[in-house]
Amino acid sequence: MSGLRGLRALGLTAAGAAAGTALAALPTAAFALAGPDPGAGAPDEQGVQPGAPSWAPFVPPAPRPPEVPAVRPGVPYVPPVPSPWGRGRAAQDGSTAYIALAGSGRVARVDVATHTVTSTAIRADTAEGVAVTPDARKVYVAATGQYQVFAVDAATLRAVPIVVGAHPQDVAVSPDGSQAYAAVTGGDTGPGGSSTVAVIDTRTDTVTRRIDVGAAPRRIAFAPGGKEAYVTTARGLAVVDTAKGEVAGQVPGIPDAQGVAVSADGSRVYATQPDADLLYVVDAASRAVTREVKAGAEPWAVTVTPDGRKVYVADMNSDSAGVYDAAGRRHLADVPVGRLPASIAATPDGSEVWVGNGMTGTVSVIDTSADEVVTTVRGGSRAETLGARPLDIAFARTP
């Protein structure tokens, strides 16, 4: 059993079975707490209900010996590419991170500059996907244990349930904030499977269209201009024409795909194939694979820095994040993180890359100038680190 599929089996299978017998939308109050933010209470509680994971203060990781560079056996060591940001500099002030904690059924809100959890008040059953509108006023959460996406007012925490279909695994918001796409994964490729992406109008929070993209849609990434959206499926990588609301093509040469990311200029698309340990570099204009890169063991999620210079891959069964140049011609480093890294995202200013560790229940923060973990946000307790399972990370500039 692959890494995240094993993780999901711990909680999603049971949740999905329960959801199949109770399809009615649960009351909004069950998923978001109205009124005062529970995170404003005792600092050691962080708004978490009894028995749920708590988020402890940052404990610096042990420094890696300089004589043992983090590279795979047989791969020559290449010094990291310098970054415009100085080592150790805090990520840009005014940014907020939202982290989907599938294990606790929560979404953590984190101040990026201080790496401090400010709230875990947003709730959603087996939250595996999270996205934020460009104005940072609304948060969309894929409740994978149910049939819904929740639209949450970031200020009041009022949540609107939107029925999209069985077990939505991801949600993404268009660059102009007018639409949210939800990957309705269903029972993957077996019985009960799905092949659709639900299109949500963010003004009304209703589903206005369903797009057939192929079996088991998994992750979604919009092109910077919003004209295209890329969806990974069991068949590969689908390209959606967002104006027409239909599939415009399929990138050939990718038989199966999981993670996806698009460069800030829209010229390149990156996709992972966990079973083959591959990272694909795709030319967006021609929709052709330009390079197949041998990644670490089971590359799951992928992100690209805003300046387009580096690509980071969460190698699930390597317990590391692989670092590559934008064209995929050079492997720059492997950064050790926690157990079973399953999510990854770059901060808006590109100074950091955050990696969610599914088994350890932590978030490793990588300084992109040195490609080293400089901070760890810890979820769960020492006795039960599986409690958090951070499976998606989204950033927003605080209004």
Side-chain angles (χ1 to χ4, degrees):
M1 182 179 290
S2 67
L4 188 56
R5 291 183 180 92
L7 272 178
R8 295 184 69 201
L10 295 175
L12 178 54
T13 302
T21 59
L23 305 185
L26 296 182
T28 296
F31 292 89
L33 303 181
D37 190 334
D44 58 340
E45 288 299 319
Q46 299 283 8
V48 181
Q49 61 187 5
S54 62
W55 291 72
F58 157 61
V59 178
R64 190 175 68 239
E67 67 274 13
V68 186
V71 295
R72 294 194 296 274
V75 177
Y77 174 70
V78 178
V81 173
S83 168
W85 306 281
R87 180 180 179 184
R89 172 184 166 185
Q92 180 172 330
D93 291 346
S95 294
T96 300
Y98 290 88
I99 304 174
L101 306 176
S104 64
R106 297 272 183 160
V107 174
R109 186 180 66 203
V110 185
D111 179 77
V112 173
T114 62
H115 307 111
T116 302
V117 177
T118 58
S119 173
T120 53
I122 297 175
R123 304 180 185 181
D125 186 10
T126 320
E128 288 194 19
V130 62
V132 191
T133 55
D135 61 9
R137 294 181 178 179
K138 195 177 290 187
V139 181
Y140 287 86
V141 186
T144 312
Q146 298 291 332
Y147 283 54
Q148 298 153 329
V149 165
F150 287 86
V152 183
D153 186 297
T156 66
L157 299 182
R158 179 179 179 272
V160 176
I162 307 165
V163 177
V164 295
H167 313 312
Q169 191 177 105
D170 190 28
V171 61
V173 175
S174 61
D176 65 1
S178 66
Q179 295 181 324
Y181 277 26
V184 183
T185 309
D188 208 46
T189 57
S194 170
S195 63
T196 64
V197 164
V199 180
I200 299 168
D201 184 325
T202 58
R203 293 171 300 177
T204 61
D205 287 327
T206 57
V207 175
T208 59
R209 184 187 295 266
R210 296 181 185 276
I211 305 171
D212 192 330
V213 296
R218 294 160 181 170
R219 310 301 295 184
I220 304 167
F222 281 93
K227 293 182 179 180
E228 296 88 21
Y230 299 88
V231 185
T232 59
T233 74
R235 296 179 182 176
L237 182 61
V239 184
V240 175
D241 182 320
T242 58
K244 296 180 179 180
E246 61 185 33
V247 172
Q250 191 88 6
V251 177
I254 305 178
D256 194 3
Q258 175 62 37
V260 63
V262 186
S263 62
D265 64 2
S267 64
R268 290 190 176 104
V269 183
Y270 303 91
T272 63
Q273 186 184 359
D275 291 343
D277 297 339
L278 289 175
L279 167 67
Y280 293 93
V281 182
V282 178
D283 178 77
S286 63
R287 297 176 185 166
V289 174
T290 59
R291 188 167 296 272
E292 294 182 6
V293 182
K294 189 66 176 176
E298 200 166 8
W300 199 262
V302 58
T303 191
V304 57
T305 55
D307 63 2
R309 299 175 66 191
K310 288 182 179 180
V311 178
Y312 290 76
V313 179
D315 294 323
M316 183 176 290
N317 284 342
S318 294
D319 296 337
S320 64
V323 188
Y324 306 86
D325 74 295
R329 293 187 176 92
R330 288 197 302 161
H331 169 258
L332 304 175
D334 282 323
V335 183
V337 291
R339 294 285 307 281
L340 293 183
S343 56
I344 194 166
T347 56
D349 72 348
S351 65
E352 295 175 348
V353 165
W354 290 29
V355 184
N357 305 303
M359 179 68 77
T360 312
T362 62
V363 175
S364 299
V365 179
I366 298 172
D367 182 323
T368 56
S369 66
D371 286 333
E372 293 181 350
V373 173
V374 293
T375 304
T376 301
V377 181
R378 300 190 179 277
S381 66
R382 292 182 182 274
E384 189 182 5
T385 56
L386 271 175
R389 285 193 287 146
L391 297 187
D392 199 16
I393 304 168
F395 291 101
R397 297 192 186 279
T398 305

